[in-house]
Amino acid sequence: MNKPVLEVKNIWKTYHVKVLGGLKTYEVVALRGVSLKIEKGEVLGILGESGCGKSTLGKIALGLEIPDEGEVFWFGNSLKNLDRKTCKTLRPKVQAVLQDPYSSLNPRYKIKEVLLEPYLINVSPDKKEGLSKAQELLNQVGLDTSVLEKYPHELSGGQRQRIALARALMVNPELLVLDEPTSALDVTIQAQILELMKTLKERYQLSYLLISHSLPVVFYLADWIGVIYLGTLVELCHKSSFKRLNHHPYTELLIRSYLDPFAPSQIFSEIEIELNPPISDGCVFLDRCPVKTKDCYKTNPSLVKKTDLQYIACFNI
Ligand SMILES: Nc1ncnc2c1ncn2[C@@H]1O[C@H](COP(=O)(O)OP(=O)(O)OP(=O)(O)O)[C@@H](O)[C@H]1O
Ligand code: SF4
Ligand SMILES: [Mg+2]
């Protein structure tokens, strides 16, 4: 059986932030015991509000940040003990596409160089072959090959995001970590890029870790939907059953905020949170939970399997 393309097990990450010119340090717990996996060809969408730890999870999945505790596996290989050769083979297979393509494309490089660079380093030193791959990918992402001679600033936001996708694909990846890939784009372009991501996924048999604060974006692409609250994965639900199952109280609030376009400010004021609360014994959602009971003060519930299609961290659902 194929190993999951990505697995993270019990990941904890704390940042130590210096304030007052370094006189004081405080801790931000960005992730608290997160475990999840992505099978080949699957899209896992991660939802949660600003500061809940989504990008930290993405960086850890990409191997750009090291967790304080827990382990990350690419295709069954722990990143803790990857030898140099395996690392060189596996690293190109896990690529990132970020929110702001402008900051992730070197402004001094023409698009031709942007696309060729990762190919020449990771796939083959043959420039001609690389150029032909770049042309094929431009075609796949819906751009004319004339953009090869342009600089990133000469392209629109949507075109730049298409280039970011093409660049990621230059090295034949299997997993893309997409961190808010459409949030910098206006609604029509957003829809086009989402559609493109769906097509590319099928064509190149990709898996995605899709990070977004938008339920519709996640719902459009994901097979599994994960919800993070204050660094804790509170629910993991398959899309096929998302509409008919009872959800974690925080997921319910997120859903309500999307169902009623006039409600978000009201609902989010209900769940306005202290971004760095002390870790107490109780449930991480305790302060805001409308259905808490006395058990919720004792321990933070861990994610448990409710059905084959849903896992929830809550004592009362
Ligand atoms: N390098 C860092 N140093 C210190 N604190 C950090 C660092 N990176 C993230 N954090 C903190 O960790 C927490 C989680 O941050 P993260 O960027 O993962 O959130 P996010 O869910 O991606 O938010 P957003 O939706 O705004 O992008 C936040 O409180 C953030 O301030
Ligand atoms: S465990 Fe308790 S406080 Fe936490 S989400 Fe469930 S009901 Fe609410
Ligand atoms: Mg983020």
Side-chain angles (χ1 to χ4, degrees):
M1 207 175 98
N2 278 341
K3 296 263 168 50
V5 291
L6 174 74
E7 182 162 17
V8 306
K9 282 190 187 163
N10 193 29
I11 295 293
W12 286 78
K13 180 73 186 177
T14 299
Y15 292 107
H16 302 272
V17 183
K18 288 198 166 98
V19 288
L20 300 175
L23 286 175
K24 270 192 116 180
T25 307
Y26 72 93
E27 291 187 344
V28 178
V29 186
L31 291 175
R32 301 165 202 243
V34 173
S35 300
L36 47 82
K37 59 183 170 185
I38 303 179
E39 302 290 348
K40 187 167 173 55
E42 267 183 3
V43 178
L44 169 62
I46 296 291
L47 270 177
E49 63 206 62
S50 190
C52 72
K54 304 182 294 300
S55 296
T56 305
L57 176 63
K59 284 184 227 158
I60 286 175
L62 284 160
L64 299 176
E65 291 267 10
I66 297 170
D68 304 327
E69 267 183 57
E71 218 166 343
V72 180
F73 298 82
W74 288 345
F75 315 97
N77 299 275
S78 168
L79 300 199
K80 269 188 184 163
N81 39 33
L82 271 192
D83 59 74
R84 201 181 263 245
K85 193 166 158 244
T86 319
C87 186
K88 199 163 180 273
T89 319
L90 293 187
R91 179 153 282 293
K93 299 203 170 298
V94 183
Q95 292 292 310
V97 174
L98 307 175
Q99 173 175 359
D100 177 7
Y102 195 56
S103 63
S104 61
L105 302 177
N106 188 332
R108 285 172 308 197
Y109 278 14
K110 283 184 174 175
I111 299 304
K112 185 163 70 182
E113 291 151 330
V114 165
L115 295 178
L116 271 179
E117 189 190 40
Y119 185 89
L120 298 178
I121 295 171
N122 294 292
V123 184
S124 149
D126 188 329
K127 250 184 165 174
K128 206 170 146 211
E129 220 176 77
L131 210 52
S132 130
K133 173 110 181 156
Q135 284 163 342
E136 176 213 315
L137 283 170
L138 285 177
N139 188 19
Q140 291 300 327
V141 300
L143 291 175
D144 190 88
T145 49
S146 60
V147 297
L148 285 169
E149 295 303 326
K150 295 191 174 172
Y151 288 93
H153 75 265
E154 296 177 276
L155 304 180
S156 69
Q159 286 173 327
R160 282 200 288 264
Q161 203 55 306
R162 287 171 193 270
I163 294 294
L165 283 163
R167 184 185 54 176
L169 296 177
M170 284 297 291
V171 294
N172 309 318
E174 293 190 29
L175 171 68
L176 295 191
V177 175
L178 304 156
D179 191 347
E180 303 279 6
T182 59
S183 31
L185 307 171
D186 73 48
V187 181
T188 15
I189 307 295
Q190 221 180 69
Q192 290 169 11
I193 298 292
L194 281 174
E195 173 113 32
L196 174 63
M197 291 193 303
K198 203 170 216 177
T199 311
L200 293 175
K201 177 188 130 31
E202 297 307 326
R203 175 157 172 80
Y204 295 102
Q205 298 175 338
L206 300 166
S207 308
Y208 292 161
L209 173 62
L210 169 66
I211 292 166
S212 176
H213 60 271
S214 163
L215 180 58
V217 166
V218 165
F219 209 80
Y220 181 75
L221 270 178
D223 300 299
W224 283 90
I225 297 171
V227 179
I228 295 190
Y229 182 79
L230 282 181
T232 304
L233 186 65
V234 294
E235 179 165 356
L236 200 52
C237 184
H238 197 270
K239 183 166 78 174
S240 60
S241 52
F242 196 82
K243 284 186 182 156
R244 63 183 161 81
L245 292 176
N246 290 328
H247 294 286
H248 186 279
Y250 176 61
T251 313
E252 289 291 350
L253 284 178
L254 285 181
I255 296 169
R256 268 173 56 206
S257 76
Y258 282 104
L259 291 181
D260 181 352
F262 299 105
S265 57
Q266 187 197 333
I267 289 169
F268 277 96
S269 68
E270 260 177 55
I271 55 170
E272 198 178 292
I273 48 163
E274 191 188 346
L275 276 177
N276 184 29
I279 303 175
S280 62
D281 290 338
C283 170
V284 74
F285 194 52
L286 187 66
D287 288 351
R288 308 288 154 182
C289 186
V291 292
K292 62 186 165 224
T293 57
K294 62 178 180 356
D295 286 344
C296 310
Y297 290 83
K298 291 180 194 154
T299 40
N300 193 18
S302 35
L303 204 66
V304 293
K305 186 173 177 175
K306 293 283 164 191
T307 70
D308 281 347
L309 300 175
Q310 192 185 35
Y311 298 74
I312 292 194
C314 175
F315 297 123
N316 297 324
I317 303 295

